[in-house]
Amino acid sequence: MTFSAGEAREGEAAPSLAILCGGGAFPIEVAAEARRAGREPFLIGIVGSTDAAIEDYPHVWLRMGEVGKLFAALKERGVGEMVMIGAMTRPEFADLRLDWGAVKRAADLAQLFRRGDNGLLVGLAAIFEREGVRIVGAHEVAPNLAARAGLLGARPVSPDDRADVAFGARLLEALSVFDGGQASVVAAGRVLAIEAAEGTDGMLARVAELRTSQRLRLKGPAGVLVKAPKRGQDLRLDMPAIGPRTIEGAAAAQLRGVALAAGRVLVLERERCIRTADTAGLFVTGF
Amino acid sequence: MTFSAGEAREGEAAPSLAILCGGGAFPIEVAAEARRAGREPFLIGIVGSTDAAIEDYPHVWLRMGEVGKLFAALKERGVGEMVMIGAMTRPEFADLRLDWGAVKRAADLAQLFRRGDNGLLVGLAAIFEREGVRIVGAHEVAPNLAARAGLLGARPVSPDDRADVAFGARLLEALSVFDGGQASVVAAGRVLAIEAAEGTDGMLARVAELRTSQRLRLKGPAGVLVKAPKRGQDLRLDMPAIGPRTIEGAAAAQLRGVALAAGRVLVLERERCIRTADTAGLFVTGF
């Protein structure tokens, strides 16, 4: 299936693709999926952040602030689309080693660094797009990496679980207006936890602690982790994701399963996620 | 002011008042306020839970399950209204030492114990009301113990703080439909934390931890704790409350202040709360 998609792509002459790679293994997964779909990606690594595995692909290494070198590389390769993916520690503007290309854009850049994380990303995307490089989401070049609708693992979803998923989804939708959490834990219609600044792992650790300390008394596995992007969230720049650690966190919190907004949440290391969930007896489903 | 309210009461012949006292100092505060308002309360202590300070008032000691003795005492005193207040560990039905009065009502009681905490309280209230004892809220017999609108401490509220309070209040209102949290922390329009099963102290400890670990980077004091009951919450049975520990938690989380739904959140040990807040530089306000 993926190969035939790749063959179809060849005739289309999709624009040359770059991947700006933050830390972790996920940028490499995206590159592999893009390659499987017939698009040979050009990988950009950040010294000190990115995994050396990018060297299996056409690539360039940059230091933070080498904006001129970045744009020169994109131009030389004729890059028309770029994915920005992976964990990145936000640098302080003053710590950037600005090259000449960056100095030319210094006023723009300095202004961006006065914004919040999301504002910074949106501003960077706008700078790239002004220079003719369209920013696309990882799910667009590697749709297999997003959760699909229906069961992902072996464990089935009961009607009660389904009701909790629907309840959690409505809760997250209502919170969206407030730019609130991307995740919640719901058990039999009761909200056990809502994510905000602590992140999903932090929230799951809290539920685990409430259960082991008996402050939250529930019998056996209970509750569903429901995860979805906020309404209006720019999935090209900031897409919710789960990975094996999320599944381990859900198991430690003694949940019944994990439900993900289909097509809108990335699943990192899918095979390991599903194996971990199957072993722990958790369902994983897209809704 | 409180004395004149008490004098006005005297002519009304308010029904005889009982207070079913859980643990902690707050039941005694409610008793003192009721006495100040001219109503001498009859205090009911639970052996092993209630503070011995109830012995400064007309009182009776009961063991969990001595329902017959409880109703006999209420009847003997001609009690028409009762406040249920203070922390209580939920007993298992099987652990109750049922007296004859309880055995007569055992079927009703056993059914109650199959419900959640809130269902149990609602059911107990209904049993009391069937026997002619109206359940009233602590704020009704001791309105001075609820937050009032406007500043409670010395520290003023800035227009930005006020915007965060309004934002947090709207967020809690939206969550109300889901029977979600009673509290949230908002900083400059950003939701830092939403309370669910962990409780307000747990939520504040989380924000403190996120700040000291630098996972949440904010400069100086930031954020407001906003606390309000859920829509439809029965304030007679389950009223949100803060105390000095809440203020200490807010200070440890490096917040700017605390905002409480006026008339609908109890302030335990008010003087100590305000002293603690003033010393830490936090505002406390009712909205």
Side-chain angles (χ1 to χ4, degrees):
Chain A
M1 285 295 276
T2 45
F3 278 102
S4 70
E7 283 157 31
R9 276 278 188 189
E10 274 165 32
E12 286 173 25
S16 182
L17 176 69
I19 304 175
L20 180 56
C21 303
F26 196 59
I28 313 300
E29 280 194 69
V30 175
E33 275 293 315
R35 180 180 270 178
R36 212 167 290 148
R39 298 181 72 178
E40 183 68 4
F42 172 57
L43 273 50
I44 301 149
I46 310 294
V47 175
S49 291
T50 307
D51 196 293
I54 63 163
E55 301 194 348
D56 294 342
Y57 294 81
H59 69 278
V60 63
W61 284 103
L62 299 177
R63 288 175 191 284
M64 285 271 193
E66 292 186 325
V67 177
K69 194 171 162 190
L70 170 57
F71 280 112
L74 295 175
K75 196 158 210 173
E76 189 190 310
R77 287 265 163 180
V79 168
E81 287 186 346
M82 186 167 79
V83 173
M84 298 163 73
I85 192 84
M88 192 105 59
T89 308
R90 182 187 172 124
E92 295 288 330
F93 182 67
D95 296 341
L96 295 180
R97 296 172 37 143
L98 300 181
D99 66 7
W100 176 237
V103 168
K104 281 198 296 181
R105 300 171 180 91
D108 280 0
L109 288 172
Q111 196 155 33
L112 291 189
F113 273 82
R114 274 187 231 109
R115 304 185 186 181
D117 287 353
N118 192 51
L120 173 60
L121 281 173
V122 169
L124 284 175
I127 288 184
F128 283 114
E129 303 220 324
R130 270 209 306 279
E131 312 243 359
V133 179
R134 202 164 75 87
I135 301 297
V136 294
H139 61 303
E140 294 175 76
V141 300
N144 281 335
L145 300 182
R148 61 170 192 270
L151 279 188
L152 279 78
R155 188 86 176 191
V157 182
S158 75
D160 285 351
D161 295 331
R162 216 174 294 281
D164 280 344
V165 172
F167 185 90
R170 285 200 307 277
L171 170 70
L172 295 180
E173 174 72 21
L175 276 174
S176 244
V177 184
F178 301 94
D179 204 11
Q182 297 183 330
S184 176
V185 176
V186 176
R190 181 178 168 203
V191 186
L192 300 187
I194 303 172
E195 176 195 326
E198 74 277 24
T200 303
D201 290 341
M203 179 185 67
L204 290 174
R206 171 163 87 250
V207 174
E209 201 280 320
L210 287 170
R211 293 206 62 177
T212 51
S213 69
Q214 291 283 316
R215 287 186 49 215
L216 193 55
R217 292 188 192 197
L218 299 166
K219 277 176 192 133
V224 180
L225 167 66
V226 185
K227 197 166 164 86
K230 295 176 265 194
R231 203 191 314 175
Q233 186 167 336
D234 190 336
L235 297 183
R236 300 171 313 150
L237 302 176
D238 174 24
M239 190 158 173
I242 69 148
R245 200 165 54 169
T246 319
I247 304 291
E248 284 159 19
Q254 302 175 56
L255 302 191
R256 291 179 50 80
V258 173
L260 310 169
R264 302 192 297 149
V265 176
L266 293 171
V267 181
L268 284 58
E269 301 182 60
R270 170 186 305 254
E271 291 312 317
R272 236 184 88 204
C273 279
I274 291 173
R275 219 166 38 237
T276 308
D278 286 349
T279 306
L282 270 74
F283 66 78
V284 183
T285 187
F287 66 87
Chain B
M1 285 293 275
T2 45
F3 279 101
S4 69
E7 284 158 28
R9 278 277 188 188
E10 275 166 29
E12 285 175 25
S16 183
L17 176 70
I19 303 176
L20 180 57
C21 303
F26 196 59
I28 313 299
E29 281 193 67
V30 175
E33 277 292 316
R35 179 178 272 178
R36 212 168 289 146
R39 298 180 73 178
E40 183 69 4
F42 172 57
L43 272 50
I44 301 148
I46 309 295
V47 176
S49 292
T50 307
D51 197 292
I54 65 162
E55 302 194 348
D56 294 343
Y57 294 81
H59 68 278
V60 63
W61 284 104
L62 300 177
R63 291 177 189 283
M64 286 271 192
E66 292 187 325
V67 177
K69 193 170 162 191
L70 170 58
F71 280 112
L74 294 174
K75 196 159 209 175
E76 190 190 310
R77 287 265 164 182
V79 168
E81 286 186 348
M82 185 167 78
V83 174
M84 296 162 74
I85 192 84
M88 192 106 58
T89 308
R90 181 187 173 125
E92 295 290 330
F93 182 66
D95 297 341
L96 294 181
R97 296 171 38 142
L98 302 181
D99 66 7
W100 177 239
V103 169
K104 281 197 296 179
R105 299 171 181 93
D108 281 359
L109 288 172
Q111 196 156 32
L112 291 188
F113 273 82
R114 273 187 233 111
R115 304 184 187 182
D117 287 353
N118 193 50
L120 173 59
L121 281 172
V122 169
L124 284 176
I127 289 183
F128 285 115
E129 304 220 323
R130 268 208 306 279
E131 313 244 358
V133 179
R134 202 164 75 88
I135 301 298
V136 294
H139 61 301
E140 294 174 74
V141 299
N144 282 335
L145 299 183
R148 60 170 191 270
L151 280 188
L152 280 77
R155 188 86 175 189
V157 182
S158 76
D160 285 351
D161 295 331
R162 216 173 294 281
D164 280 342
V165 173
F167 185 89
R170 283 199 309 276
L171 170 70
L172 295 181
E173 174 71 18
L175 275 174
S176 243
V177 184
F178 302 94
D179 205 11
Q182 298 184 328
S184 175
V185 176
V186 176
R190 182 178 167 205
V191 185
L192 300 187
I194 303 172
E195 176 195 327
E198 75 276 24
T200 303
D201 290 342
M203 179 185 66
L204 290 174
R206 172 162 85 250
V207 175
E209 201 280 319
L210 287 170
R211 292 206 62 177
T212 51
S213 69
Q214 290 283 315
R215 286 187 50 215
L216 193 56
R217 292 187 193 198
L218 299 165
K219 277 173 192 138
V224 180
L225 167 67
V226 185
K227 198 168 164 84
K230 294 175 268 193
R231 203 192 312 172
Q233 186 167 338
D234 191 337
L235 298 182
R236 301 170 314 151
L237 300 177
D238 174 26
M239 189 157 172
I242 69 149
R245 200 166 54 168
T246 319
I247 304 290
E248 285 158 18
Q254 303 175 56
L255 302 191
R256 292 179 49 80
V258 173
L260 310 169
R264 302 192 297 148
V265 177
L266 293 171
V267 181
L268 284 57
E269 300 182 60
R270 171 186 304 254
E271 293 311 317
R272 237 185 87 202
C273 280
I274 292 172
R275 218 164 43 235
T276 307
D278 286 350
T279 306
L282 270 73
F283 67 78
V284 182
T285 187
F287 65 86

